[in-house]
Amino acid sequence: MSAWTRLAEPLRLFNLFLLSMGLFQVVVVNIAPLEAGALGPDHWRSAQRRLVVVDKTGDRGWQQATRHAVDVWNQAAGPTGVRLTWTTGSGTCSPDRVRISVCTASAARLGGGRTANRQGRADVELDPDGHNLGAFVLVCSDCRPSEARRRVIATHEIGHTLGLSHTPRLSSVMLHTGGAERPDDLDAAEVRSLYEHVDGPLRCGVFNLRLGTFCL
Ligand SMILES: [Zn+2]
Ligand SMILES: [Zn+2]
């Protein structure tokens, strides 16, 4: 066997390896954006679906409302998929991984007016592939909503942090003006369908390779 023949086989295998890596990259790059588009943005990836709602309002009325929101969204989501737990806390609100903080803010800061958009607001931070990375909710400190109205606002805004958008249905909690106090059957179907898939880990770069703190 000549030196060249001995070298040829490993070279051929290495070439095959390079070719398959190239194909793999093309497939991954092309499929990933399609999946994200098909599922829509703004939902929590599989590893982050045990979410804590931290009520930092220090207000008994809002605490009852956020607790209600956690209960009704858990009922709507069913035993699998996304799961919320409730607790109180203190401090300011900013996007916070796997914790949805709720704080109060003046109606002026929320835009004034009477719609849920103005009495409450949800902010969501997305990772590079469109999944939620963190979220927080602001509710009005000075617009004096009734107890029932607080339940509507809290449930509506937490619905946004779970990935639901506005609907024109009067029975929906996601009606743009605030809607009902709890998700209707279609809201429940939507939150279930948003979370019935399983996500892989977040890609960190072209080669999706982590070497300590480096990402290739
Ligand atoms: Zn996903
Ligand atoms: Zn809204």
Side-chain angles (χ1 to χ4, degrees):
M1 192 184 278
S2 73
W4 169 244
T5 326
R6 258 181 279 129
L7 202 61
E9 185 61 15
L11 271 177
R12 194 181 67 82
L13 288 175
F14 184 61
N15 204 9
L16 255 178
F17 169 72
L18 284 181
L19 181 71
S20 60
M21 283 303 288
L23 282 176
F24 173 74
Q25 286 301 324
V26 169
V27 169
V28 167
V29 167
N30 283 316
I31 288 177
L34 279 179
E35 271 179 0
L39 294 166
D42 297 8
H43 62 269
W44 300 85
R45 69 170 55 251
S46 299
Q48 286 193 296
R49 292 181 186 169
R50 297 290 174 266
L51 295 161
V52 184
V53 173
V54 188
D55 190 310
K56 299 178 175 175
T57 63
D59 178 308
R60 209 167 270 270
W62 279 118
Q63 287 170 0
Q64 283 173 359
T66 54
R67 187 159 220 167
H68 161 89
V70 165
D71 287 344
V72 294
W73 278 119
N74 279 337
Q75 282 165 27
T80 55
V82 73
R83 192 91 204 146
L84 303 173
T85 50
W86 183 90
T87 187
T88 56
S90 58
T92 54
C93 279
S94 56
D96 191 4
R97 274 171 198 238
V98 301
R99 290 158 68 90
I100 301 168
S101 297
V102 185
C103 290
T104 52
S106 67
R109 191 176 158 202
L110 297 172
R114 293 209 181 111
T115 65
N117 296 351
R118 307 285 173 84
Q119 292 177 323
R121 196 176 91 190
D123 284 273
V124 175
E125 182 188 30
L126 300 178
D127 68 21
D129 71 3
H131 283 93
N132 286 6
L133 203 56
F136 66 93
V137 166
L138 297 177
V139 292
C140 62
S141 53
D142 53 359
C143 61
R144 287 191 228 157
S146 66
E147 271 181 34
R149 183 66 188 162
R150 285 175 198 248
R151 288 194 289 273
V152 173
I153 294 165
T155 311
H156 178 99
E157 300 305 343
I158 288 174
H160 279 314
T161 68
L162 297 180
L164 282 89
S165 323
H166 288 156
T167 77
R169 290 193 314 282
L170 292 176
S171 59
S172 168
V173 74
M174 298 314 294
L175 187 72
H176 74 284
T177 50
E181 271 186 34
R182 56 183 63 237
D184 68 5
D185 288 348
L186 287 178
D187 292 329
E190 192 174 350
V191 78
R192 282 171 201 231
S193 78
L194 273 176
Y195 292 100
E196 66 191 4
H197 68 285
V198 176
D199 298 297
L202 176 62
R203 289 181 58 77
C204 78
V206 177
F207 296 102
N208 201 21
L209 211 93
R210 280 177 210 281
L211 298 170
T213 54
F214 291 102
C215 177
L216 298 173

